[in-house]
Amino acid sequence: REVTPGSTTLTTSEPNVAFRLNGSAATYQRYHDLGVEAASVTGGRLTIDFSRSTFSTELGVTSPSMGVQDVQASGTVSASGVFQTATGNARVLGGTSLDGREAAYLFEKSLNQGALRGITMWGR
C-alpha cells in the first residue's frame, strides 16, 4: 500500500512480517569501573504481527568482559507503528516505517555487573 502524505497511520497489506537484521550497534557499560566497551550483535529476529498489533524479538549480543547475552522482548505495536516491551528480559522501544517495510529499536538490558545498550535496524 501507499502511504498518504501527512498520514501518521501504519498501512501494510501483510498481516505478519519477519524482518531481517540490517545493522546494529551496542555497548556494555561495566559498573565496577564505569568502563564502556563495544559489544557485537551476533544475530537475531524481529517478527511483527500487524493484524494483532504485537511484536517479538530476540538478539544474541557478546562482548569480551560481558560474554554472551540474549535479549528477548515482546509487546504491542501502535497504529502509528511504535512498539515497546510488555514482557521479556530487556526493555525495547522502537518503530516501523509507515509502510511496514523497515523497523528499528533501542534496547537495554540490566545485568549484575553492568548494562547492555544498543540499537538495531531491520528490513525485509
Side-chain angles (χ1 to χ4, degrees):
R1 287 184 178 168
E2 280 189 37
V3 176
T4 306
S7 173
T8 58
T9 303
L10 186 63
T11 56
T12 181
S13 59
E14 296 177 67
N16 200 329
V17 176
F19 290 89
R20 62 180 158 57
L21 186 61
N22 283 343
S24 62
T27 60
Y28 173 60
Q29 181 176 9
R30 299 179 304 266
Y31 292 147
H32 70 280
D33 66 359
L34 299 181
V36 176
E37 65 186 37
S40 299
V41 176
T42 58
R45 66 170 180 76
L46 170 63
T47 304
I48 298 181
D49 186 334
F50 291 106
S51 65
R52 295 177 189 222
S53 300
T54 60
F55 82 96
S56 66
T57 190
E58 186 172 356
L59 297 173
V61 187
T62 185
S63 82
S65 65
M66 176 187 70
V68 177
Q69 288 290 321
D70 68 320
V71 172
Q72 299 174 357
S74 60
T76 58
V77 180
S78 75
S80 62
V82 175
F83 55 91
Q84 61 186 353
T85 305
T87 62
N89 67 7
R91 290 184 299 241
V92 166
L93 177 62
T96 67
S97 57
L98 291 177
D99 63 4
R101 299 203 56 78
E102 298 175 307
Y105 66 76
L106 301 168
F107 65 89
E108 181 176 54
K109 181 177 180 181
S110 295
L111 304 169
N112 288 337
Q113 301 297 316
L116 173 62
R117 296 180 181 95
I119 186 169
T120 59
M121 289 78 57
W122 304 79
R124 293 211 209 172

